[in-house]
Amino acid sequence: HADNGIFNSQKFTRSVREAQQTISYCGVGAHQQNGVAEHRIRVLTEMARTQLLHAMNNNRKAISPHLWPYALRHACYLFNLFPREGQTRSPIEIFSDSKIAPNLKQAHPFGCPVYVLEAPLQTQGGQLPRWEPRSRVGIYLGQSPQHAASVGLILNQQTGLVSPQFHCIY
């Protein structure tokens, strides 16, 4: 079930028929025709908005609405990690058909402060002068989608860049 945009092209409809599938079209502006998907989008949007506003309230200088995609990704991660009310299995357990216990040590609040070990100390044998800071304060923007579950995406407040970091204290 799709809209009339690119899904109405001859090439796309031909590939649908060749895959022995069917397609139907909704009316213009009729978003209510897919209630399940629309409800999930609304829930995730509200979760992300709440997280972002809470983080902005705690750190107005560093958090802005430009971090919206990170808040949405983190909301989706949390939504899939924990069971819904009245259920015993989380969405990720249902999808994978396996028992996956959520690791609460890796479920940090969006926008929380993070101490990140300075780069020279992250390698074996690295050193800094005695009176130099050993860490910097960053902001947690969620779990890295391409790394291990223990790697977070951290916003560097000095440069404004986001990078995956392992050596962190939340």
Side-chain angles (χ1 to χ4, degrees):
H1 197 67
D3 61 15
N4 294 332
I6 61 169
F7 302 108
N8 198 21
S9 70
Q10 290 179 357
K11 192 174 182 179
F12 184 81
T13 53
R14 188 174 340 110
S15 67
V16 168
R17 275 186 265 118
E18 288 171 1
Q20 298 180 345
Q21 296 179 348
T22 61
I23 189 166
S24 60
Y25 300 100
C26 61
V28 176
H31 300 289
Q32 71 276 8
Q33 291 189 1
N34 192 349
V36 174
E38 293 297 328
H39 178 70
R40 182 61 43 85
I41 291 167
R42 181 176 180 178
V43 167
L44 289 174
T45 302
E46 288 176 355
M47 284 176 66
R49 181 178 181 271
T50 302
Q51 290 180 93
L52 187 60
L53 288 173
H54 179 72
M56 287 172 61
N57 194 34
N58 290 328
N59 193 349
R60 289 197 186 278
K61 291 181 182 177
I63 306 289
S64 75
H66 297 291
L67 298 174
W68 170 254
Y70 294 102
L72 186 60
R73 183 184 298 148
H74 189 63
C76 186
Y77 166 73
L78 293 176
F79 187 89
N80 288 326
L81 188 63
F82 297 105
R84 302 285 67 81
E85 187 175 336
Q87 294 185 357
T88 58
R89 297 171 60 192
S90 67
I92 194 71
E93 289 176 316
I94 294 168
F95 178 77
S96 65
D97 195 28
S98 64
K99 181 73 177 145
I100 303 170
N103 186 349
L104 297 180
K105 290 181 179 180
Q106 296 169 354
H108 309 292
F110 179 83
C112 74
V114 180
Y115 288 95
V116 180
L117 192 64
E118 286 293 350
L121 298 174
Q122 291 182 13
T123 60
Q124 191 170 8
Q127 293 181 345
L128 284 176
R130 179 178 300 270
W131 304 113
E132 291 294 314
R134 303 270 190 241
S135 63
R136 63 175 170 82
V137 178
I139 297 173
Y140 178 70
L141 299 180
Q143 203 175 22
S144 172
Q146 289 133 356
H147 297 87
S150 57
V151 176
L153 294 174
I154 309 299
L155 172 66
N156 185 324
Q157 295 183 68
Q158 283 76 39
T159 65
L161 299 175
V162 177
S163 63
Q165 297 290 330
F166 173 73
H167 300 281
C168 299
I169 302 292
Y170 298 86

